[in-house]
């Protein structure tokens, strides 16, 4: 099946999933202060954005992290893109066609140039695929997306043919995560040839730190980098050679303001025009002051991961009062899950702006189950399970959490600590900024930690592969499974699903894998975030399921 602008989003075997998911999700997007779109380039103005979390790098391939991915889309476009409801749409590729189960052909958009004036061609695609595995010290690598590639060829400057080591029906979806680089601006030494063991013609690829220089951050996107000052601001300007709609703004300044109080204060004072994730309790005050608030259900699960390491040195770093790892026992994990009152967290901590979760991706996205059961709050049952597992007096544990990454993240962690303590699992909190937290998490410094995950593909296979499959860097599985959970049957079902083109069978496999994993209590799903944005008069933000703040989604209003 050939993808064209008219059939965008219809990945073979997955076409109607995207449409149905988009329609259903859009039906639960709650928007207040809705006004009609009015405006064009003639109304251009400066836009100042208050970010809730700062991107960790300008390198589009350094860290598969929400703030980085959102920023990347302004400068470095992908072959395939997604709209606000995560339906596929053409970007630098106008069409994508499976020649067979292991070969895809992409037809590139003609007439596209990079911001430095050089044409975008198939050589830039090959260079990008070659460079991604070479990124050093990536906290969460994009290499998993190109690992299945065995050949990448360019029959002509506007055609790319990708051969994979097995069926990969989600390849177009996976490519939405990969921003394209300019081979010339990145230092390619002539023609680049893809090889699985190492490409030729690469020259010396830029380091991640090099992308802070606007001369290196050369993309095809609607904006170009003017200034990047870590911790202070990111300044963008319209790309005059952009092939798509022109920007409504002459200048965009993104300011990291991780604390919710100062971020709301900056909006109310007129220092910024748009903010991400204002504090739930501040929404009435913001709307009362004449600002517009928009909200949308996200694909981000907030969860608690539990370290199930099993080895000669069993001891997880923040557990006391026992001579073995209690989290290895499914009864203990079930007890900790039953001790959490998700309804209370949603209503009291999140102010109703969240949705309690039973699995790790919200219905009706691909591979999810309608009305998947949510673990009931049962503190007595939790205590009984601890006794059965040999912990009648509980044990001590420290719960790690970021304090500036997710909506009310530290508050949620504090409430969970109180709930666990009530059943005898005496819990302390170790809260830190996101940059510090993720560094420590990746070093396995927490026995339990609160975190979040948003599936870029809007597909259950992404969430399962990222969080729950057995960690296998060779196969590119379980790359964010810091709980070290491993169930080979869950792996088998998920891997089979990822290679299945037939839609109904594929979704059924993912539902089976999710249900089987949740019976093991490998982690504790808490809630799906409902994301708010607040904008000044004359602006409105169109919510996105992926929670990204994209200037391209900001509408001018009367």
């Amino acid at each position: 099946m050939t993808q064209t602008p008219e059939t965008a989003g219809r990945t073979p075997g997955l076409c109607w999933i995207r449409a149905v998911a988009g329609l259903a999700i859009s039906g639960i997007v709650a928007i207040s202060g809705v006004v009609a779109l009015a405006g064009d380039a003639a109304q251009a103005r400066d836009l100042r954005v208050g970010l809730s979390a700062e991107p960790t790098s300008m390198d589009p391939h350094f860290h598969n992290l929400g703030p980085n991915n959102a920023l990347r889309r302004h400068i470095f476009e992908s072959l395939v893109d997604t709209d606000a409801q995560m339906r596929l749409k053409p970007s630098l590729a106008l069409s994508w066609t499976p020649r067979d189960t292991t070969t895809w052909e992409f037809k590139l958009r003609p007439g596209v140039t990079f911001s430095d004036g050089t044409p975008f061609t198939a050589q830039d695609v090959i260079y990008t695929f070659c460079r991604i595995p070479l990124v050093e010290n990536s906290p969460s690598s994009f290499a998993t997306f190109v690992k299945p590639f065995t050949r990448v060829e360019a029959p002509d400057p506007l055609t790319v043919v990708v051969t994979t080591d097995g069926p990969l029906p989600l390849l177009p979806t996976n490519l939405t995560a990969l921003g394209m680089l300019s081979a010339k601006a990145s230092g390619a030494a002539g023609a680049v040839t893809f090889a699985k063991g190492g490409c030729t013609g690469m020259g010396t690829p830029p380091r991640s730190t090099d992308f802070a220089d606007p001369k290196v951050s050369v993309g095809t996107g609607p904006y170009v980098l003017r200034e990047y000052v870590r911790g202070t601001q990111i300044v963008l300007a319209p790309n005059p050679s952009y092939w798509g709609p022109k920007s409504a703004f002459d200048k965009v300044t993104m300011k990291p303001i991780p604390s919710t109080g100062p971020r709301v204060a900056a909006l109310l004072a007129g220092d910024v025009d748009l903010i991400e994730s204002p504090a739930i309790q501040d929404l009435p005050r913001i709307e009362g002051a004449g600002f517009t608030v928009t909200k949308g259900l996200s694909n981000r699960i907030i969860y608690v991961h539990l370290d199930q390491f099993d080895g000669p040195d069993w001891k997880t770093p923040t557990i006391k009062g026992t001579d073995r790892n209690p989290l290895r026992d499914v009864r203990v994990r079930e007890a900790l899950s039953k001790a959490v009152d998700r309804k209370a967290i949603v209503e009291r901590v999140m102010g109703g702006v969240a949705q309690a979760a039973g699995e790790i991706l919200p219905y009706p996205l691909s591979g999810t189950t309608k009305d998947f059961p949510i673990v009931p709050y049962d503190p007595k049952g939790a205590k009984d399970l601890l006794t059965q597992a040999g912990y009648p007096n509980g044990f001590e544990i420290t719960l790690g959490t970021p304090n500036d990454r997710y909506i009310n993240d530290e508050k949620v962690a504090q409430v969970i600590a109180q709930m666990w303590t009530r059943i005898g699992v005496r819990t302390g909190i170790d809260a830190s900024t996101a940059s510090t937290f993720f560094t420590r998490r990746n070093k396995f410094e927490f026995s339990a930690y609160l975190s979040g995950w948003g599936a870029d593909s809007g597909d259950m296979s992404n969430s399962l592969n990222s969080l729950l499959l057995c960690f296998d860097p060779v196969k590119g599985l379980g790359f964010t499974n810091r709980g070290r959970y491993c169930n080979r049957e869950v792996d088998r079902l998920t891997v089979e699903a990822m290679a299945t083109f037939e839609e109904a069978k594929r979704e059924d496999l993912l539902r089976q894998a999710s249900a089987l994993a949740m019976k093991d209590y490998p982690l504790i799903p808490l809630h799906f975030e409902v994301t708010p944005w607040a904008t000044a008069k004359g602006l409105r933000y169109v919510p996105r399921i992926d929670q990204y703040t994209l200037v391209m989604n900001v509408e001018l209003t009367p």
Side-chain angles (χ1 to χ4, degrees), residues 45 273 290-292 535-539 557-558:
R45 52 180 283 183
D273 308 299
F291 295 86
T292 297
T535 51
K537 185 177 180 180
L539 301 173
T557 66

Side-chain angles (χ1 to χ4, degrees), residues 328-347:
R328 288 283 301 162
D329 193 315
V330 66
R331 293 169 296 185
V332 173
R333 301 196 299 272
E334 182 179 358
L336 293 176
S337 186
K338 286 189 171 184
V340 175
D341 188 342
R342 292 161 178 80
K343 182 180 179 182
I345 290 175
V346 167
E347 293 179 354

Side-chain angles (χ1 to χ4, degrees), residues 87-101:
R87 294 169 294 209
L88 299 186
K89 66 177 185 178
S91 183
L92 293 178
L94 284 177
S95 66
W96 42 96
T97 307
R99 289 181 173 179
D100 53 50
T101 58

Side-chain angles (χ1 to χ4, degrees), residues 416-428:
I416 291 172
Q418 295 170 9
M419 292 173 177
W420 284 359
T421 299
R422 288 177 195 146
I423 66 167
V425 178
R426 299 168 295 284
T427 307

Side-chain angles (χ1 to χ4, degrees), residues 100-104 148-150 163-169 171 498-499 501:
D100 53 50
T101 58
T102 60
T103 309
W104 284 86
F149 298 177
T150 57
T163 303
T164 59
D165 57 13
L168 195 57
L171 176 59
M498 291 191 293
F501 278 82

Side-chain angles (χ1 to χ4, degrees), residues 153-322:
E153 300 168 300
D156 61 68
L158 293 179
T159 303
V160 176
V161 178
V162 178
T163 303
T164 59
D165 57 13
L168 195 57
L170 280 179
L171 176 59
T173 301
N174 292 346
L175 293 185
T176 64
L178 306 181
M180 294 294 113
L181 298 180
S182 163
K184 179 180 178 181
S186 299
V192 181
T193 302
F194 182 92
K196 194 171 180 65
C199 301
T200 60
M202 291 288 290
T204 302
R207 298 167 300 176
S208 291
T209 53
D210 294 337
F211 285 87
D213 182 350
K215 294 179 181 178
V216 178
S217 281
V218 175
T220 63
Y223 292 91
V224 297
L225 179 66
R226 283 288 178 258
E227 182 183 28
Y228 175 73
V229 182
R230 184 71 185 272
T232 302
Q233 65 181 20
I234 302 163
V235 181
L236 307 177
N239 177 1
S241 62
Y242 183 51
W243 58 268
K246 300 305 178 185
S247 170
F249 304 99
D250 294 319
K251 177 183 176 182
V252 177
T253 303
M254 298 181 174
K255 301 180 179 182
I257 313 175
S259 297
T260 55
R263 194 161 63 251
V264 171
L267 178 71
L268 297 177
D271 295 332
V272 295
D273 308 299
L274 180 156
I275 61 172
E276 301 176 320
S277 303
I280 303 301
Q281 60 269 23
D282 286 331
L283 297 185
R285 179 161 65 107
I286 292 170
E287 292 181 304
F291 295 86
T292 297
V293 173
T294 56
K295 308 169 191 171
L297 178 68
S298 78
N299 66 353
R300 184 176 302 284
I301 178 71
I302 301 300
Y303 64 93
V304 173
H305 229 147
L306 305 171
D307 190 0
Q308 295 146 66
F309 177 65
D310 183 26
D313 182 15
W314 71 267
K315 192 172 180 60
T316 53
T318 59
I319 292 179
K320 298 179 181 179
T322 174

